[in-house]
Amino acid sequence: MNVHNRQALNANLRETLQQTELIPPLSETAGKLLKLRNKQDANLEELVSVIEDDPSLAAFVMKYARMAIFGYGDRITSVTHAVSLVLGYTTALNVTLGVASSGSLKMPNYGPLGRVRLWRDALQCAQLCRQLSRLMRQKQGLNPDLAYLGGLLHNFGYLLFGHLCPREFASLNEMFAQNPEQDIRPLELQQFGITHDLVGLYLLKAWCLPEEVIMMAAKHHYPDSVGKHVIYVKLVATANRLLHNDCITDACKHIETSALLEELGIAETDAEIELEKVMASQNELEELARGLMA
């Protein structure tokens, strides 16, 4: 792509992001789930009804609840069982909201930035964020369920990249496949003039998601951030580092992962135990992610 075309793409992309009406809206199912999330007296029956109205979403929930990590297997025979006995109302709501939201955005299925890898990594990060949040000695008002949702959605900027700029995103996917150890953000700037974290900020704001979740998407490459909801940012950054074998690919190479864990009040040995649990379910999570292919 020549300089002129890149500048035009960047200008068009930024204009789109700044106009909420140009960002693809939530699907009908996702809209219903978001209303439930914002409804104080919502109940399990209402959630199950929304899930069961979408056969693919119901199949995902059943498969998720039957994972070995939960220990129920084939004893889960209904969506009601999956929600009430295994996932719990809030986790089921958050994960189905994420899955239903992504359905309105088109992107390649394969490659390091494809739908399968993105969803496998998202499910891993969400689980680890929640477990790490429960280990924190000083919670600082942190909500484990919001930590889970933020871990799930923090890389959704890639979905919007792929949807709005399919040809350029395909090129980025290929470049990253050839250079998997490279920091991807310079490649994004080269292709789009903007990075996935900023794109994620605009997307999740347009979808009216919680502020904590928006900040996790916007700043997960900056664990040295200050200000509101910074504890959530540090949490998702730490989870990402642990999942990538402590490889520091964010913008804070001056901060060791051990220092982030100490700041969060989490013992390294405890974090490793939770990481091992999540990694043990990697194959099942990848199979789940394959079920979400468009």
Side-chain angles (χ1 to χ4, degrees):
M1 185 189 300
N2 62 41
V3 173
H4 176 74
N5 288 344
R6 187 180 297 116
Q7 289 175 339
L9 172 69
N10 179 232
N12 290 336
L13 186 55
R14 287 180 180 273
E15 182 178 354
T16 298
L17 294 174
Q18 289 167 9
Q19 299 183 57
T20 304
E21 68 275 9
L22 298 179
I23 293 177
L26 287 171
S27 67
E28 182 180 356
T29 299
K32 291 178 181 178
L33 291 166
L34 187 59
K35 284 182 181 178
L36 280 185
R37 201 181 185 288
N38 295 328
K39 183 180 176 184
Q40 290 187 346
D41 60 347
N43 57 50
L44 186 143
E45 287 74 20
E46 290 176 285
L47 174 58
V48 169
S49 177
V50 173
I51 294 172
E52 288 182 335
D53 281 345
D54 186 323
S56 62
L57 199 57
F60 173 87
V61 167
M62 292 286 289
K63 200 168 186 179
Y64 193 15
R66 288 173 171 172
M67 283 178 53
I69 194 172
F70 299 121
Y72 282 84
D74 291 341
R75 286 180 289 168
I76 300 304
T77 58
S78 68
V79 172
T80 299
H81 282 165
V83 176
S84 62
L85 297 178
V86 184
L87 302 177
Y89 176 88
T90 306
T91 295
L93 176 56
N94 284 338
V95 75
T96 52
L97 176 59
V99 170
S101 300
S102 72
S104 60
L105 301 171
K106 297 178 181 178
M107 69 181 305
N109 286 322
Y110 296 107
L113 302 178
R115 189 179 296 272
V116 172
R117 181 72 66 84
L118 184 144
W119 266 111
R120 187 203 70 184
D121 291 352
L123 289 164
Q124 285 182 327
C125 187
Q127 283 192 22
L128 189 56
C129 279
R130 181 173 55 196
Q131 295 311 111
L132 291 178
S133 72
R134 290 172 173 170
L135 292 174
M136 291 169 58
R137 288 192 290 272
Q138 294 182 345
K139 306 295 185 185
Q140 302 180 47
L142 188 141
N143 182 327
D145 293 316
L146 279 179
Y148 178 94
L149 183 59
L152 194 71
L153 305 185
H154 75 282
N155 271 334
F156 260 40
Y158 287 125
L159 286 165
L160 192 55
F161 264 156
H163 184 86
L164 295 176
C165 311
R167 183 166 51 183
E168 292 79 13
F169 185 79
S171 177
L172 177 67
N173 197 9
E174 185 176 337
M175 283 193 295
F176 192 47
Q178 294 171 356
N179 303 278
E181 302 303 320
Q182 182 174 344
D183 182 356
I184 193 169
R185 298 174 83 250
L187 294 178
E188 293 169 359
L189 289 171
Q190 178 183 327
Q191 286 293 102
F192 303 104
I194 192 172
T195 57
H196 71 278
D197 39 350
L198 186 55
V199 173
L201 164 69
Y202 282 106
L203 176 63
L204 300 188
K205 280 186 72 173
W207 285 353
C208 300
L209 286 164
E211 201 172 281
E212 295 89 341
V213 174
I214 294 170
M215 287 300 99
M216 289 171 81
K219 296 185 176 182
H220 62 274
H221 282 280
Y222 298 93
D224 61 346
S225 296
V226 296
K228 201 172 182 184
H229 307 311
V230 67
I231 193 69
Y232 287 91
V233 174
K234 292 181 186 296
L235 184 66
V236 71
T238 303
N240 274 329
R241 288 186 178 195
L242 292 171
L243 288 165
H244 293 90
N245 298 316
D246 206 21
C247 178
I248 302 175
T249 57
D250 54 45
C252 297
K253 292 186 165 90
H254 57 285
I255 301 177
E256 295 290 337
T257 306
S258 57
L260 286 174
L261 285 168
E262 184 177 355
E263 192 172 348
L264 292 170
I266 300 172
E268 288 188 55
T269 51
D270 291 339
E272 286 296 329
I273 290 170
E274 295 305 326
L275 175 62
E276 287 177 13
K277 291 177 185 177
V278 171
M279 296 307 294
S281 61
Q282 180 171 284
N283 291 339
E284 286 183 293
L285 291 175
E286 177 132 5
E287 190 177 340
L288 262 180
R290 289 183 184 280
L292 297 173
M293 290 192 297

